[in-house]
Coordinates of all heavy atoms in Angstrom, one line a residue:
M14 N 213.4 238.9 166.0 CA 212.8 239.6 167.1 C 211.9 240.7 166.6 O 212.4 241.5 165.7 CB 213.9 240.2 168.0 CG 213.4 241.2 169.0 SD 214.7 242.0 170.0 CE 215.1 240.7 171.1
D15 N 210.7 240.9 167.1 CA 209.9 242.0 166.7 C 210.3 243.3 167.4 O 211.0 243.3 168.3 CB 208.4 241.7 166.9 CG 208.0 241.5 168.4 OD1 208.5 242.3 169.2 OD2 207.3 240.6 168.7
D16 N 209.8 244.4 166.8 CA 210.2 245.7 167.3 C 209.9 245.9 168.8 O 210.7 246.5 169.5 CB 209.6 246.8 166.4 CG 210.2 246.9 165.0 OD1 211.3 246.3 164.8 OD2 209.6 247.4 164.2
D17 N 208.7 245.5 169.2 CA 208.3 245.7 170.6 C 209.2 244.9 171.6 O 209.6 245.5 172.6 CB 206.9 245.2 170.8 CG 205.8 246.1 170.1 OD1 206.2 247.3 169.9 OD2 204.7 245.6 169.9
R18 N 209.6 243.7 171.2 CA 210.5 243.0 172.1 C 211.9 243.6 172.1 O 212.5 243.7 173.2 CB 210.6 241.5 171.6 CG 209.4 240.7 172.0 CD 209.4 239.3 171.5 NE 210.6 238.6 171.8 CZ 211.2 237.6 171.1 NH1 210.7 237.3 169.9 NH2 212.3 237.0 171.5
F19 N 212.4 244.2 171.0 CA 213.6 244.8 171.0 C 213.6 246.1 171.9 O 214.5 246.4 172.6 CB 214.0 245.2 169.6 CG 215.3 246.0 169.5 CD1 216.5 245.5 169.8 CD2 215.3 247.4 169.3 CE1 217.7 246.2 169.8 CE2 216.4 248.2 169.3 CZ 217.6 247.6 169.5
V20 N 212.5 246.9 171.8 CA 212.4 248.1 172.6 C 212.4 247.7 174.1 O 213.1 248.3 174.9 CB 211.1 248.8 172.3 CG1 210.8 249.9 173.3 CG2 211.3 249.5 170.9
R21 N 211.7 246.6 174.5 CA 211.7 246.2 175.9 C 213.1 245.7 176.3 O 213.5 246.0 177.4 CB 210.7 245.0 176.1 CG 209.3 245.5 176.1 CD 208.3 244.4 176.6 NE 208.5 243.1 176.0 CZ 207.9 242.7 174.9 NH1 207.1 243.5 174.3 NH2 208.1 241.4 174.5
L22 N 213.8 245.0 175.5 CA 215.2 244.6 175.8 C 216.1 245.9 176.0 O 216.8 246.0 176.9 CB 215.8 243.8 174.6 CG 217.2 243.4 174.7 CD1 217.5 242.5 175.9 CD2 217.7 242.8 173.4
A23 N 216.0 246.8 175.1 CA 216.8 248.0 175.2 C 216.5 248.8 176.4 O 217.4 249.3 177.2 CB 216.6 248.9 173.9
Q24 N 215.2 248.9 176.8 CA 214.8 249.7 178.0 C 215.3 249.0 179.2 O 215.8 249.6 180.2 CB 213.3 249.8 178.0 CG 212.8 250.8 177.0 CD 211.3 250.9 177.0 OE1 210.6 249.9 177.3 NE2 210.7 252.0 176.6
A25 N 215.3 247.6 179.3 CA 215.7 246.9 180.4 C 217.2 247.0 180.7 O 217.6 247.0 181.8 CB 215.2 245.4 180.3
V26 N 217.9 247.0 179.6 CA 219.4 246.9 179.8 C 220.1 248.2 179.5 O 221.0 248.6 180.3 CB 220.0 245.8 178.9 CG1 221.5 245.7 179.0 CG2 219.3 244.4 179.2
L27 N 219.8 248.9 178.5 CA 220.6 250.0 178.0 C 220.3 251.3 178.7 O 221.2 252.2 178.8 CB 220.5 250.1 176.5 CG 220.8 248.9 175.7 CD1 220.6 249.2 174.2 CD2 222.2 248.5 175.9
M28 N 219.1 251.5 179.1 CA 218.7 252.9 179.6 C 219.4 253.2 180.9 O 219.8 254.4 181.1 CB 217.2 253.0 179.8 CG 216.4 252.8 178.5 SD 217.0 253.9 177.3 CE 215.9 253.6 176.0
N29 N 219.6 252.3 181.8 CA 220.2 252.6 183.1 C 220.8 251.3 183.6 O 220.4 250.7 184.6 CB 219.2 253.1 184.1 CG 219.8 253.6 185.4 OD1 221.0 253.9 185.4 ND2 219.0 253.7 186.4
P30 N 221.9 250.9 183.0 CA 222.5 249.6 183.4 C 223.1 249.7 184.8 O 223.9 250.6 185.1 CB 223.6 249.4 182.3 CG 224.0 250.8 181.9 CD 222.7 251.6 182.0
P31 N 222.8 248.7 185.6 CA 223.4 248.7 187.0 C 224.9 248.3 186.9 O 225.7 248.8 187.7 CB 222.6 247.6 187.7 CG 221.6 247.0 186.8 CD 221.8 247.7 185.5
S32 N 225.3 247.5 185.9 CA 226.7 247.1 185.8 C 227.0 246.7 184.3 O 226.2 246.1 183.6 CB 227.0 246.0 186.7 OG 228.3 245.6 186.7
G33 N 228.2 247.1 183.9 CA 228.7 246.7 182.6 C 230.1 247.0 182.5 O 230.7 247.4 183.5
R34 N 230.8 246.6 181.4 CA 232.2 247.0 181.2 C 232.4 247.4 179.8 O 231.8 246.9 178.9 CB 233.1 245.9 181.7 CG 233.1 244.6 180.9 CD 234.4 244.7 180.0 NE 234.5 243.4 179.3 CZ 234.5 243.3 178.0 NH1 234.2 244.3 177.2 NH2 234.7 242.1 177.4
I35 N 233.4 248.3 179.6 CA 233.8 248.7 178.3 C 235.2 248.2 178.1 O 236.1 248.2 178.9 CB 233.9 250.3 178.2 CG1 232.5 250.8 178.4 CG2 234.5 250.7 176.9 CD1 232.5 252.3 178.5
G36 N 235.4 247.6 176.9 CA 236.7 247.1 176.5 C 237.0 247.5 175.1 O 236.3 248.2 174.5
A37 N 238.1 246.9 174.5 CA 238.5 247.3 173.2 C 237.5 246.9 172.1 O 237.4 247.6 171.1 CB 239.9 246.6 172.9
R38 N 236.7 245.9 172.3 CA 235.7 245.5 171.3 C 234.3 246.0 171.6 O 233.4 245.6 170.9 CB 235.7 244.0 171.2 CG 236.9 243.4 170.6 CD 236.7 242.0 170.4 NE 237.7 241.5 169.4 CZ 237.7 240.3 169.0 NH1 236.8 239.4 169.3 NH2 238.6 239.9 168.1
G39 N 234.1 246.8 172.6 CA 232.8 247.4 172.8 C 232.4 247.2 174.3 O 233.2 247.1 175.2
I40 N 231.1 247.3 174.5 CA 230.5 247.3 175.8 C 229.8 246.0 176.1 O 229.1 245.4 175.2 CB 229.6 248.5 176.0 CG1 229.3 248.7 177.5 CG2 228.4 248.5 175.1 CD1 228.8 250.1 177.8
V41 N 229.8 245.6 177.3 CA 229.1 244.4 177.8 C 228.2 244.8 178.9 O 228.7 245.5 179.9 CB 230.0 243.3 178.3 CG1 229.3 242.1 178.9 CG2 230.9 242.8 177.1
Y42 N 226.9 244.5 178.9 CA 226.0 244.8 180.0 C 225.6 243.5 180.7 O 225.4 242.5 180.0 CB 224.7 245.5 179.5 CG 224.9 246.9 178.9 CD1 224.9 247.1 177.6 CD2 225.2 247.9 179.8 CE1 225.1 248.3 177.0 CE2 225.4 249.2 179.2 CZ 225.4 249.4 177.9 OH 225.6 250.6 177.4
F43 N 225.6 243.5 182.0 CA 225.2 242.3 182.7 C 223.8 242.3 183.1 O 223.2 243.3 183.5 CB 226.1 242.2 184.0 CG 227.6 242.2 183.7 CD1 228.3 243.3 183.9 CD2 228.1 241.1 183.1 CE1 229.7 243.3 183.6 CE2 229.5 241.0 182.8 CZ 230.3 242.1 183.0
A44 N 223.1 241.1 182.8 CA 221.7 240.9 183.0 C 221.5 239.5 183.4 O 222.3 238.6 183.3 CB 220.9 241.3 181.8
R45 N 220.3 239.2 184.0 CA 219.8 237.9 184.2 C 219.0 237.5 183.0 O 218.3 238.3 182.4 CB 218.9 237.8 185.4 CG 219.6 238.2 186.7 CD 218.7 238.3 187.9 NE 217.7 239.3 187.7 CZ 216.4 239.2 188.1 NH1 216.0 238.1 188.7 NH2 215.6 240.3 187.9
V46 N 219.1 236.2 182.6 CA 218.3 235.7 181.5 C 217.7 234.4 181.8 O 218.1 233.6 182.7 CB 219.2 235.5 180.2 CG1 219.8 236.8 179.7 CG2 220.3 234.4 180.5
T47 N 216.6 234.1 181.1 CA 215.9 232.8 181.3 C 216.7 231.8 180.4 O 217.3 232.1 179.5 CB 214.4 232.9 180.9 OG1 214.4 233.4 179.5 CG2 213.7 233.8 181.8
A48 N 216.6 230.5 180.8 CA 217.3 229.5 180.0 C 217.0 229.5 178.5 O 218.0 229.3 177.7 CB 217.0 228.1 180.6
E49 N 215.8 229.7 178.1 CA 215.5 229.7 176.7 C 216.1 230.9 175.9 O 216.2 230.9 174.7 CB 214.0 229.6 176.5 CG 213.2 230.7 177.1 CD 212.7 230.5 178.5 OE1 213.1 229.4 179.1 OE2 212.0 231.3 179.0
N50 N 216.6 231.9 176.6 CA 217.2 233.0 176.0 C 218.7 233.0 175.9 O 219.4 233.8 175.4 CB 216.8 234.3 176.6 CG 215.4 234.7 176.3 OD1 214.9 234.5 175.2 ND2 214.7 235.3 177.3
A51 N 219.3 231.9 176.5 CA 220.8 231.8 176.6 C 221.4 231.6 175.2 O 220.8 230.9 174.4 CB 221.2 230.6 177.5
N52 N 222.5 232.3 175.0 CA 223.3 232.2 173.8 C 222.5 232.4 172.5 O 222.4 231.6 171.6 CB 224.0 230.8 173.7 CG 225.0 230.6 174.8 OD1 225.5 231.6 175.3 ND2 225.1 229.4 175.2
R53 N 221.8 233.5 172.4 CA 221.1 233.9 171.2 C 221.4 235.3 170.8 O 221.7 236.1 171.6 CB 219.6 233.6 171.4 CG 218.9 234.5 172.3 CD 217.4 234.1 172.5 NE 216.6 234.7 171.4 CZ 215.3 234.9 171.5 NH1 214.7 234.5 172.6 NH2 214.6 235.4 170.6
A54 N 221.3 235.5 169.5 CA 221.5 236.8 168.9 C 220.2 237.5 168.7 O 219.2 236.9 168.5 CB 222.3 236.7 167.6
Y55 N 220.2 238.8 168.8 CA 219.1 239.7 168.6 C 219.3 240.5 167.4 O 220.4 241.2 167.3 CB 218.8 240.6 169.8 CG 218.2 239.8 170.9 CD1 219.0 239.2 171.9 CD2 216.8 239.6 171.1 CE1 218.5 238.5 172.9 CE2 216.3 238.9 172.1 CZ 217.1 238.3 173.0 OH 216.6 237.6 174.1
S56 N 218.4 240.5 166.4 CA 218.5 241.3 165.2 C 217.3 242.1 165.0 O 216.2 241.7 165.4 CB 218.8 240.4 164.0 OG 219.9 239.6 164.2
V57 N 217.4 243.2 164.2 CA 216.3 243.9 163.7 C 216.4 244.2 162.2 O 217.5 244.1 161.7 CB 216.1 245.3 164.5 CG1 215.8 245.1 165.9 CG2 217.3 246.1 164.3
K58 N 215.3 244.5 161.6 CA 215.3 244.8 160.2 C 215.5 246.3 160.0 O 214.7 247.1 160.6 CB 214.0 244.4 159.5 CG 213.8 242.9 159.4 CD 214.3 242.4 158.0 CE 213.9 241.0 157.9 NZ 214.6 240.4 156.8
V59 N 216.4 246.7 159.3 CA 216.7 248.1 159.0 C 216.8 248.3 157.5 O 217.7 247.8 156.9 CB 218.0 248.6 159.7 CG1 218.3 250.1 159.3 CG2 218.0 248.4 161.2
G60 N 215.8 249.0 156.9 CA 215.8 249.2 155.5 C 215.8 247.9 154.7 O 216.5 247.8 153.7
G61 N 215.1 246.9 155.2 CA 215.0 245.6 154.5 C 216.2 244.7 154.8 O 216.2 243.6 154.3
E62 N 217.1 245.2 155.5 CA 218.3 244.4 155.8 C 218.3 244.0 157.3 O 218.0 244.8 158.2 CB 219.6 245.2 155.5 CG 220.9 244.4 155.5 CD 222.0 245.2 155.0 OE1 221.8 246.0 154.1 OE2 223.1 245.1 155.6
T63 N 218.7 242.8 157.6 CA 218.8 242.3 159.0 C 220.1 242.7 159.6 O 221.2 242.5 159.1 CB 218.7 240.8 159.1 OG1 217.4 240.4 158.5 CG2 218.7 240.3 160.5
V64 N 220.0 243.4 160.8 CA 221.2 243.9 161.5 C 221.3 243.3 162.9 O 220.3 243.4 163.6 CB 221.2 245.5 161.6 CG1 222.4 246.0 162.3 CG2 221.1 246.1 160.2
K65 N 222.4 242.7 163.2 CA 222.6 242.1 164.6 C 222.8 243.3 165.6 O 223.7 244.1 165.3 CB 223.7 241.2 164.6 CG 223.9 240.5 166.0 CD 224.8 239.3 165.9 CE 226.2 239.7 166.3 NZ 227.2 238.7 166.4
V66 N 222.0 243.3 166.6 CA 222.1 244.4 167.6 C 222.6 244.0 168.9 O 222.9 244.8 169.8 CB 220.7 245.2 167.7 CG1 220.3 245.9 166.5 CG2 219.7 244.2 168.2
G67 N 222.7 242.7 169.2 CA 223.2 242.3 170.4 C 223.2 240.8 170.6 O 222.6 240.1 169.7
E68 N 223.8 240.3 171.6 CA 223.9 238.8 171.9 C 223.7 238.6 173.4 O 224.2 239.4 174.2 CB 225.2 238.2 171.4 CG 225.5 238.2 170.0 CD 226.8 237.6 169.7 OE1 227.8 238.3 169.9 OE2 226.9 236.5 169.2
L69 N 223.1 237.5 173.7 CA 223.1 237.1 175.1 C 224.1 235.9 175.2 O 223.8 234.8 174.6 CB 221.7 236.6 175.6 CG 220.7 237.7 175.6 CD1 219.3 237.2 176.0 CD2 221.1 238.8 176.6
L70 N 225.2 236.0 175.8 CA 226.2 235.0 175.9 C 226.2 234.4 177.3 O 226.4 235.1 178.3 CB 227.6 235.6 175.6 CG 227.7 236.2 174.2 CD1 229.1 236.8 174.1 CD2 227.4 235.2 173.1
V71 N 225.9 233.1 177.4 CA 225.8 232.5 178.7 C 226.6 231.3 178.9 O 227.7 231.3 179.5 CB 224.3 232.1 179.0 CG1 224.1 231.5 180.4 CG2 223.4 233.4 178.9
D72 N 226.2 230.2 178.3 CA 226.9 228.9 178.4 C 228.3 228.9 177.8 O 228.4 229.2 176.6 CB 226.1 227.8 177.8 CG 224.7 227.6 178.6 OD1 224.7 227.9 179.8 OD2 223.8 227.1 177.9
Q73 N 229.3 228.5 178.6 CA 230.6 228.3 178.1 C 231.2 229.5 177.4 O 232.0 229.5 176.5 CB 230.7 227.1 177.1 CG 230.3 225.8 177.8 CD 230.3 224.6 176.9 OE1 230.9 224.7 175.8 NE2 229.7 223.5 177.3
K74 N 230.9 230.7 178.0 CA 231.4 232.0 177.5 C 232.1 232.7 178.7 O 231.8 232.3 179.8 CB 230.3 232.9 177.0 CG 229.4 232.3 175.9 CD 230.2 232.1 174.6 CE 229.3 231.4 173.6 NZ 230.0 231.2 172.3
F75 N 232.9 233.6 178.4 CA 233.6 234.4 179.5 C 233.7 235.8 179.1 O 233.6 236.2 177.9 CB 234.9 233.8 179.9 CG 236.0 234.1 178.8 CD1 236.8 235.2 178.9 CD2 236.2 233.2 177.8 CE1 237.8 235.4 177.9 CE2 237.2 233.4 176.8 CZ 238.0 234.5 176.9
C76 N 233.9 236.7 180.1 CA 234.0 238.1 179.9 C 235.1 238.6 180.8 O 235.2 238.3 182.0 CB 232.7 238.8 180.3 SG 232.7 240.5 180.2
V77 N 236.1 239.3 180.2 CA 237.2 239.9 180.9 C 236.7 241.1 181.7 O 235.9 241.9 181.2 CB 238.3 240.3 180.0 CG1 239.5 240.9 180.7 CG2 238.8 239.0 179.2
L78 N 237.0 241.2 183.0 CA 236.5 242.2 183.8 C 237.6 243.2 184.2 O 238.8 242.9 184.3 CB 235.9 241.6 185.1 CG 234.7 240.7 184.9 CD1 234.3 240.1 186.3 CD2 233.6 241.4 184.3
P79 N 237.2 244.5 184.5 CA 238.1 245.4 185.0 C 238.7 245.0 186.4 O 238.0 244.2 187.1 CB 237.3 246.7 185.3 CG 236.1 246.5 184.4 CD 235.9 245.0 184.3
P80 N 239.9 245.3 186.7 CA 240.8 246.3 186.1 C 241.8 245.6 185.1 O 242.9 246.1 184.9 CB 241.5 246.9 187.3 CG 241.6 245.8 188.2 CD 240.4 244.9 188.1
T81 N 241.4 244.5 184.5 CA 242.3 243.8 183.6 C 242.8 244.8 182.5 O 242.1 245.6 182.1 CB 241.6 242.6 182.9 OG1 241.1 241.8 184.0 CG2 242.5 241.8 182.0
I82 N 244.1 244.6 182.1 CA 244.6 245.5 181.1 C 244.6 244.7 179.7 O 245.0 243.6 179.6 CB 246.1 245.8 181.3 CG1 246.3 246.5 182.7 CG2 246.7 246.7 180.2 CD1 245.6 247.8 182.9
H83 N 244.0 245.3 178.7 CA 243.9 244.7 177.4 C 245.3 244.7 176.8 O 246.1 245.5 177.1 CB 242.9 245.6 176.5 CG 242.6 245.0 175.2 ND1 243.4 245.1 174.1 CD2 241.6 244.2 174.9 CE1 242.9 244.5 173.1 NE2 241.8 243.9 173.5
P84 N 245.6 243.8 175.9 CA 246.9 243.8 175.2 C 247.3 245.1 174.6 O 248.4 245.4 174.3 CB 246.8 242.6 174.2 CG 245.8 241.7 174.8 CD 244.8 242.6 175.5
N85 N 246.3 245.9 174.2 CA 246.6 247.2 173.6 C 247.1 248.2 174.7 O 247.4 249.4 174.3 CB 245.4 247.8 172.9 CG 244.2 248.2 173.8 OD1 244.3 248.3 175.0 ND2 243.1 248.4 173.2
G86 N 247.1 247.8 176.0 CA 247.7 248.7 177.0 C 246.6 249.4 177.8 O 246.9 250.1 178.8
R87 N 245.4 249.4 177.3 CA 244.3 250.2 178.0 C 243.5 249.3 178.9 O 243.2 248.1 178.6 CB 243.4 250.9 177.0 CG 244.1 252.0 176.3 CD 243.1 252.7 175.4 NE 242.9 251.9 174.2 CZ 242.4 252.3 173.1 NH1 242.0 253.6 173.0 NH2 242.2 251.5 172.1
P88 N 243.1 249.7 180.1 CA 242.4 248.9 181.0 C 240.9 248.8 180.6 O 240.3 249.7 180.0 CB 242.5 249.6 182.4 CG 242.7 251.0 182.0 CD 243.5 251.0 180.7
Y89 N 240.3 247.7 181.0 CA 238.8 247.6 180.9 C 238.2 248.5 181.9 O 238.8 248.6 183.0 CB 238.4 246.1 181.1 CG 238.7 245.2 180.0 CD1 240.0 244.6 179.9 CD2 237.8 245.0 178.9 CE1 240.3 243.7 178.9 CE2 238.2 244.1 177.9 CZ 239.4 243.5 177.9 OH 239.7 242.6 176.8
R90 N 237.1 249.1 181.7 CA 236.5 250.0 182.7 C 235.0 249.6 183.0 O 234.3 249.0 182.1 CB 236.4 251.4 182.1 CG 237.8 252.0 181.8 CD 237.7 253.3 181.1 NE 237.2 253.2 179.7 CZ 236.3 253.9 179.1 NH1 235.8 254.9 179.8 NH2 235.9 253.7 177.9
W91 N 234.6 249.9 184.2 CA 233.2 249.6 184.6 C 232.2 250.6 184.0 O 232.6 251.8 183.9 CB 233.1 249.6 186.1 CG 233.7 248.4 186.7 CD1 234.8 248.4 187.5 CD2 233.3 247.0 186.6 NE1 235.1 247.1 187.9 CE2 234.1 246.3 187.4 CE3 232.2 246.4 186.0 CZ2 234.0 244.9 187.5 CZ3 232.1 245.0 186.1 CH2 233.0 244.3 186.9
V92 N 231.0 250.2 183.7 CA 229.9 251.1 183.4 C 228.9 250.9 184.5 O 228.6 249.8 184.8 CB 229.3 250.7 182.0 CG1 228.0 251.5 181.8 CG2 230.2 250.8 180.9
G93 N 228.5 251.9 185.1 CA 227.7 251.8 186.3 C 228.6 251.3 187.5 O 229.7 251.7 187.6
S94 N 228.1 250.4 188.2 CA 228.8 249.8 189.4 C 229.6 248.6 189.0 O 229.2 247.9 188.0 CB 227.8 249.5 190.5 OG 227.1 250.6 191.0
S95 N 230.6 248.3 189.8 CA 231.3 247.0 189.6 C 230.2 245.9 189.8 O 229.3 245.9 190.6 CB 232.3 246.9 190.7 OG 232.7 245.5 190.8
L96 N 230.4 244.8 189.0 CA 229.5 243.7 189.1 C 229.5 243.1 190.5 O 228.5 242.6 191.0 CB 229.9 242.6 188.1 CG 229.0 241.4 187.9 CD1 227.5 241.8 187.6 CD2 229.5 240.5 186.9
L97 N 230.6 243.2 191.2 CA 230.8 242.7 192.6 C 229.9 243.5 193.6 O 229.6 243.0 194.7 CB 232.2 242.7 193.0 CG 233.1 241.8 192.1 CD1 234.6 242.0 192.5 CD2 232.7 240.3 192.2
D98 N 229.6 244.7 193.2 CA 228.8 245.6 194.1 C 227.3 245.6 193.8 O 226.6 246.4 194.5 CB 229.4 247.0 194.0 CG 230.8 247.2 194.5 OD1 231.2 246.3 195.3 OD2 231.5 248.1 194.0
V99 N 226.9 244.9 192.8 CA 225.5 244.9 192.4 C 224.8 243.6 192.9 O 225.3 242.5 192.7 CB 225.4 245.0 190.9 CG1 223.9 244.9 190.5 CG2 226.0 246.3 190.4
E100 N 223.7 243.8 193.6 CA 222.8 242.7 194.0 C 222.3 242.0 192.8 O 221.8 242.6 191.9 CB 221.7 243.2 194.9 CG 220.8 242.1 195.4 CD 221.4 241.2 196.4 OE1 222.2 241.7 197.2 OE2 221.1 240.0 196.4
Y101 N 222.4 240.7 192.7 CA 222.0 239.9 191.6 C 220.6 240.2 191.1 O 220.3 240.4 189.9 CB 222.2 238.4 191.9 CG 221.6 237.5 190.8 CD1 222.3 237.3 189.6 CD2 220.4 236.9 191.0 CE1 221.8 236.5 188.7 CE2 219.8 236.0 190.0 CZ 220.5 235.8 188.8 OH 220.0 235.0 187.9
T102 N 219.7 240.3 192.1 CA 218.3 240.6 191.7 C 218.0 242.0 191.2 O 217.0 242.3 190.6 CB 217.4 240.4 193.0 OG1 217.8 241.2 194.0 CG2 217.4 238.9 193.4
N103 N 219.0 242.9 191.3 CA 218.9 244.2 190.7 C 219.4 244.3 189.2 O 219.2 245.3 188.6 CB 219.7 245.3 191.5 CG 219.1 245.5 192.8 OD1 217.9 245.3 193.0 ND2 219.9 246.0 193.8
L104 N 219.9 243.2 188.7 CA 220.3 243.2 187.3 C 219.0 243.0 186.5 O 218.1 242.3 186.9 CB 221.2 242.0 187.0 CG 222.6 242.1 187.6 CD1 223.4 240.8 187.4 CD2 223.4 243.3 187.0
P105 N 218.9 243.6 185.3 CA 217.6 243.5 184.5 C 217.4 242.0 184.1 O 218.4 241.3 183.9 CB 217.9 244.3 183.3 CG 219.2 245.0 183.5 CD 219.9 244.4 184.7
L106 N 216.2 241.6 184.1 CA 215.8 240.2 183.7 C 215.4 240.3 182.2 O 214.4 241.0 181.9 CB 214.7 239.7 184.5 CG 214.1 238.3 184.1 CD1 215.2 237.3 184.2 CD2 212.9 238.0 185.0
I107 N 216.0 239.5 181.4 CA 215.7 239.4 180.0 C 214.9 238.2 179.8 O 215.4 237.1 180.0 CB 217.0 239.4 179.1 CG1 217.9 240.5 179.4 CG2 216.6 239.4 177.6 CD1 217.4 241.9 179.2
E108 N 213.7 238.3 179.3 CA 212.8 237.2 179.1 C 211.9 237.5 177.9 O 211.7 238.7 177.6 CB 212.0 236.8 180.3 CG 211.2 238.0 180.9 CD 210.5 237.6 182.2 OE1 210.4 236.5 182.5 OE2 210.1 238.6 182.9
D109 N 211.4 236.5 177.3 CA 210.5 236.7 176.2 C 209.1 237.3 176.6 O 208.7 237.1 177.6 CB 210.2 235.4 175.4 CG 211.4 235.1 174.5 OD1 212.1 236.1 174.1 OD2 211.6 233.9 174.2

């Protein structure tokens, strides 16, 4: 992924996410994606090294939602609004 596309992705999803969740392994943001972007990783070059910065997980994947309790005893938490309270068309669209 080139730098401009990464910046557009970050602006669309990370700057003001309508919905996401935080769990033991990190944060998940919810977005709409085009079919050609399903199940792909995004990487950038940092100091000559490729670093994975995110993934779009779609087909045959799942995400545990709040208020589920993680086995470590802590609950998953919402970022922004609950996914159930967000209009689908208000989720950011990720496209090339």
Side-chain angles (χ1 to χ4, degrees):
M14 166 185 283
D15 64 43
D16 291 341
D17 289 339
R18 286 177 51 212
F19 175 72
V20 168
R21 286 194 310 273
L22 174 68
Q24 288 173 334
V26 178
L27 304 178
M28 298 305 184
N29 189 19
S32 184
R34 71 101 171 115
I35 297 175
R38 290 188 163 186
I40 194 163
V41 172
Y42 294 107
F43 299 106
R45 298 176 293 143
V46 298
T47 56
E49 58 271 5
N50 286 323
N52 297 331
R53 68 185 273 202
Y55 287 89
S56 302
V57 294
K58 291 264 187 195
V59 177
E62 191 174 323
T63 301
V64 177
K65 185 167 92 174
V66 294
E68 294 178 283
L69 295 176
L70 303 176
V71 181
D72 295 334
Q73 300 179 12
K74 305 292 180 181
F75 71 92
C76 176
V77 178
L78 298 177
T81 305
I82 305 296
H83 189 273
N85 68 13
R87 291 187 284 198
Y89 290 87
R90 298 175 289 136
W91 288 111
V92 173
S94 298
S95 161
L96 186 58
L97 299 173
D98 295 333
V99 175
E100 180 69 35
Y101 173 77
T102 56
N103 289 337
L104 293 173
L106 176 62
I107 308 300
E108 56 187 343
D109 281 334

